[in-house]
PDB file of all heavy atoms in Angstrom:
ATOM      1  N   ARG A  58     127.651  86.646  84.267  1.00 92.00           N
ATOM      2  CA  ARG A  58     128.862  87.020  85.003  1.00 92.00           C
ATOM      3  C   ARG A  58     130.144  86.852  84.197  1.00 92.00           C
ATOM      4  O   ARG A  58     131.023  87.739  84.259  1.00 92.00           O
ATOM      5  CB  ARG A  58     128.948  86.227  86.305  1.00 92.00           C
ATOM      6  CG  ARG A  58     130.119  86.641  87.172  1.00 92.00           C
ATOM      7  CD  ARG A  58     130.053  85.986  88.533  1.00 92.00           C
ATOM      8  NE  ARG A  58     131.169  86.422  89.362  1.00 92.00           N
ATOM      9  CZ  ARG A  58     131.309  86.077  90.632  1.00 92.00           C
ATOM     10  NH1 ARG A  58     130.417  85.299  91.218  1.00 92.00           N
ATOM     11  NH2 ARG A  58     132.358  86.499  91.315  1.00 92.00           N
ATOM     12  N   PRO A  59     130.336  85.753  83.434  1.00 93.00           N
ATOM     13  CA  PRO A  59     131.600  85.614  82.700  1.00 93.00           C
ATOM     14  C   PRO A  59     131.865  86.771  81.744  1.00 93.00           C
ATOM     15  O   PRO A  59     133.011  87.221  81.612  1.00 93.00           O
ATOM     16  CB  PRO A  59     131.420  84.289  81.943  1.00 93.00           C
ATOM     17  CG  PRO A  59     130.429  83.521  82.754  1.00 93.00           C
ATOM     18  CD  PRO A  59     129.486  84.559  83.281  1.00 93.00           C
ATOM     19  N   PHE A  60     130.818  87.281  81.097  1.00 91.00           N
ATOM     20  CA  PHE A  60     130.988  88.371  80.139  1.00 91.00           C
ATOM     21  C   PHE A  60     131.289  89.688  80.852  1.00 91.00           C
ATOM     22  O   PHE A  60     132.043  90.526  80.341  1.00 91.00           O
ATOM     23  CB  PHE A  60     129.733  88.503  79.283  1.00 91.00           C
ATOM     24  CG  PHE A  60     129.437  87.284  78.469  1.00 91.00           C
ATOM     25  CD1 PHE A  60     128.496  86.363  78.887  1.00 91.00           C
ATOM     26  CD2 PHE A  60     130.120  87.040  77.286  1.00 91.00           C
ATOM     27  CE1 PHE A  60     128.225  85.227  78.134  1.00 91.00           C
ATOM     28  CE2 PHE A  60     129.859  85.915  76.530  1.00 91.00           C
ATOM     29  CZ  PHE A  60     128.915  84.992  76.967  1.00 91.00           C
ATOM     30  N   LEU A  61     130.722  89.879  82.042  1.00 89.00           N
ATOM     31  CA  LEU A  61     131.037  91.071  82.819  1.00 89.00           C
ATOM     32  C   LEU A  61     132.464  91.022  83.334  1.00 89.00           C
ATOM     33  O   LEU A  61     133.199  92.014  83.288  1.00 89.00           O
ATOM     34  CB  LEU A  61     130.063  91.204  83.990  1.00 89.00           C
ATOM     35  CG  LEU A  61     128.606  91.528  83.635  1.00 89.00           C
ATOM     36  CD1 LEU A  61     127.733  91.454  84.881  1.00 89.00           C
ATOM     37  CD2 LEU A  61     128.497  92.909  83.002  1.00 89.00           C
ATOM     38  N   ASP A  62     132.876  89.848  83.806  1.00 87.00           N
ATOM     39  CA  ASP A  62     134.220  89.715  84.362  1.00 87.00           C
ATOM     40  C   ASP A  62     135.302  89.928  83.311  1.00 87.00           C
ATOM     41  O   ASP A  62     136.353  90.513  83.601  1.00 87.00           O
ATOM     42  CB  ASP A  62     134.384  88.324  85.010  1.00 87.00           C
ATOM     43  CG  ASP A  62     133.591  88.177  86.301  1.00 87.00           C
ATOM     44  OD1 ASP A  62     133.150  89.206  86.850  1.00 87.00           O
ATOM     45  OD2 ASP A  62     133.409  87.030  86.759  1.00 87.00           O
ATOM     46  N   GLU A  63     135.047  89.461  82.100  1.00 88.00           N
ATOM     47  CA  GLU A  63     136.072  89.590  81.050  1.00 88.00           C
ATOM     48  C   GLU A  63     136.001  90.945  80.347  1.00 88.00           C
ATOM     49  O   GLU A  63     136.884  91.264  79.547  1.00 88.00           O
ATOM     50  CB  GLU A  63     135.925  88.464  80.033  1.00 88.00           C
ATOM     51  CG  GLU A  63     134.705  88.559  79.152  1.00 88.00           C
ATOM     52  CD  GLU A  63     134.559  87.368  78.216  1.00 88.00           C
ATOM     53  OE1 GLU A  63     135.189  86.326  78.478  1.00 88.00           O
ATOM     54  OE2 GLU A  63     133.816  87.498  77.230  1.00 88.00           O
ATOM     55  N   GLY A  64     134.943  91.716  80.637  1.00 85.00           N
ATOM     56  CA  GLY A  64     134.838  93.049  80.064  1.00 85.00           C
ATOM     57  C   GLY A  64     134.230  93.117  78.689  1.00 85.00           C
ATOM     58  O   GLY A  64     134.220  94.189  78.067  1.00 85.00           O
ATOM     59  N   SER A  65     133.696  92.000  78.174  1.00 87.00           N
ATOM     60  CA  SER A  65     133.096  92.025  76.838  1.00 87.00           C
ATOM     61  C   SER A  65     131.725  92.692  76.855  1.00 87.00           C
ATOM     62  O   SER A  65     131.207  93.096  75.811  1.00 87.00           O
ATOM     63  CB  SER A  65     132.981  90.602  76.283  1.00 87.00           C
ATOM     64  OG  SER A  65     132.211  89.781  77.141  1.00 87.00           O
ATOM     65  N   ILE A  66     131.116  92.807  78.036  1.00 86.00           N
ATOM     66  CA  ILE A  66     129.867  93.555  78.204  1.00 86.00           C
ATOM     67  C   ILE A  66     130.133  94.696  79.166  1.00 86.00           C
ATOM     68  O   ILE A  66     130.622  94.489  80.280  1.00 86.00           O
ATOM     69  CB  ILE A  66     128.737  92.654  78.755  1.00 86.00           C
ATOM     70  CG1 ILE A  66     128.338  91.603  77.723  1.00 86.00           C
ATOM     71  CG2 ILE A  66     127.519  93.497  79.140  1.00 86.00           C
ATOM     72  CD1 ILE A  66     127.249  90.684  78.201  1.00 86.00           C
ATOM     73  N   ARG A  67     129.801  95.903  78.752  1.00 86.00           N
ATOM     74  CA  ARG A  67     130.046  97.068  79.596  1.00 86.00           C
ATOM     75  C   ARG A  67     128.753  97.738  80.057  1.00 86.00           C
ATOM     76  O   ARG A  67     128.790  98.668  80.853  1.00 86.00           O
ATOM     77  CB  ARG A  67     130.917  98.074  78.856  1.00 86.00           C
ATOM     78  CG  ARG A  67     132.304  97.522  78.527  1.00 86.00           C
ATOM     79  CD  ARG A  67     133.199  98.580  77.928  1.00 86.00           C
ATOM     80  NE  ARG A  67     134.527  98.051  77.656  1.00 86.00           N
ATOM     81  CZ  ARG A  67     135.523  98.773  77.167  1.00 86.00           C
ATOM     82  NH1 ARG A  67     135.329 100.072  76.886  1.00 86.00           N
ATOM     83  NH2 ARG A  67     136.707  98.229  76.938  1.00 86.00           N
ATOM     84  N   HIS A  68     127.641  97.281  79.512  1.00 90.00           N
ATOM     85  CA  HIS A  68     126.351  97.880  79.897  1.00 90.00           C
ATOM     86  C   HIS A  68     125.264  96.814  79.806  1.00 90.00           C
ATOM     87  O   HIS A  68     125.236  96.019  78.862  1.00 90.00           O
ATOM     88  CB  HIS A  68     126.001  99.052  78.972  1.00 90.00           C
ATOM     89  CG  HIS A  68     124.659  99.662  79.266  1.00 90.00           C
ATOM     90  ND1 HIS A  68     123.483  99.180  78.741  1.00 90.00           N
ATOM     91  CD2 HIS A  68     124.321 100.714  80.055  1.00 90.00           C
ATOM     92  CE1 HIS A  68     122.475  99.902  79.171  1.00 90.00           C
ATOM     93  NE2 HIS A  68     122.955 100.837  79.967  1.00 90.00           N
ATOM     94  N   LEU A  69     124.395  96.783  80.821  1.00 94.00           N
ATOM     95  CA  LEU A  69     123.284  95.851  80.835  1.00 94.00           C
ATOM     96  C   LEU A  69     121.965  96.623  80.897  1.00 94.00           C
ATOM     97  O   LEU A  69     121.805  97.525  81.716  1.00 94.00           O
ATOM     98  CB  LEU A  69     123.363  94.922  82.055  1.00 94.00           C
ATOM     99  CG  LEU A  69     124.378  93.785  82.033  1.00 94.00           C
ATOM    100  CD1 LEU A  69     124.359  93.055  83.367  1.00 94.00           C
ATOM    101  CD2 LEU A  69     124.074  92.804  80.902  1.00 94.00           C
ATOM    102  N   SER A  70     121.028  96.264  80.023  1.00 96.00           N
ATOM    103  CA  SER A  70     119.655  96.739  80.125  1.00 96.00           C
ATOM    104  C   SER A  70     118.835  95.588  80.700  1.00 96.00           C
ATOM    105  O   SER A  70     118.835  94.484  80.146  1.00 96.00           O
ATOM    106  CB  SER A  70     119.115  97.144  78.745  1.00 96.00           C
ATOM    107  OG  SER A  70     119.836  98.248  78.238  1.00 96.00           O
ATOM    108  N   VAL A  71     118.173  95.847  81.808  1.00 96.00           N
ATOM    109  CA  VAL A  71     117.490  94.782  82.551  1.00 96.00           C
ATOM    110  C   VAL A  71     115.982  94.962  82.438  1.00 96.00           C
ATOM    111  O   VAL A  71     115.437  96.001  82.823  1.00 96.00           O
ATOM    112  CB  VAL A  71     117.921  94.791  84.035  1.00 96.00           C
ATOM    113  CG1 VAL A  71     117.178  93.709  84.813  1.00 96.00           C
ATOM    114  CG2 VAL A  71     119.429  94.589  84.143  1.00 96.00           C
ATOM    115  N   PHE A  72     115.309  93.926  81.896  1.00 96.00           N
ATOM    116  CA  PHE A  72     113.849  93.895  81.797  1.00 96.00           C
ATOM    117  C   PHE A  72     113.389  92.720  82.663  1.00 96.00           C
ATOM    118  O   PHE A  72     113.283  91.590  82.179  1.00 96.00           O
ATOM    119  CB  PHE A  72     113.413  93.712  80.343  1.00 96.00           C
ATOM    120  CG  PHE A  72     113.917  94.798  79.424  1.00 96.00           C
ATOM    121  CD1 PHE A  72     115.205  94.739  78.890  1.00 96.00           C
ATOM    122  CD2 PHE A  72     113.110  95.873  79.093  1.00 96.00           C
ATOM    123  CE1 PHE A  72     115.677  95.735  78.044  1.00 96.00           C
ATOM    124  CE2 PHE A  72     113.569  96.878  78.243  1.00 96.00           C
ATOM    125  CZ  PHE A  72     114.851  96.816  77.720  1.00 96.00           C
ATOM    126  N   ALA A  73     113.137  92.980  83.919  1.00 94.00           N
ATOM    127  CA  ALA A  73     112.943  91.908  84.895  1.00 94.00           C
ATOM    128  C   ALA A  73     111.474  91.720  85.232  1.00 94.00           C
ATOM    129  O   ALA A  73     110.747  92.692  85.480  1.00 94.00           O
ATOM    130  CB  ALA A  73     113.733  92.218  86.169  1.00 94.00           C
TER     131      ALA A  73
END
Side-chain angles (χ1 to χ4, degrees):
R58 185 172 181 175
F60 298 99
L61 292 173
D62 289 345
E63 70 184 18
S65 58
I66 293 180
R67 297 186 178 182
H68 177 274
L69 284 176
S70 295
V71 178
F72 301 83

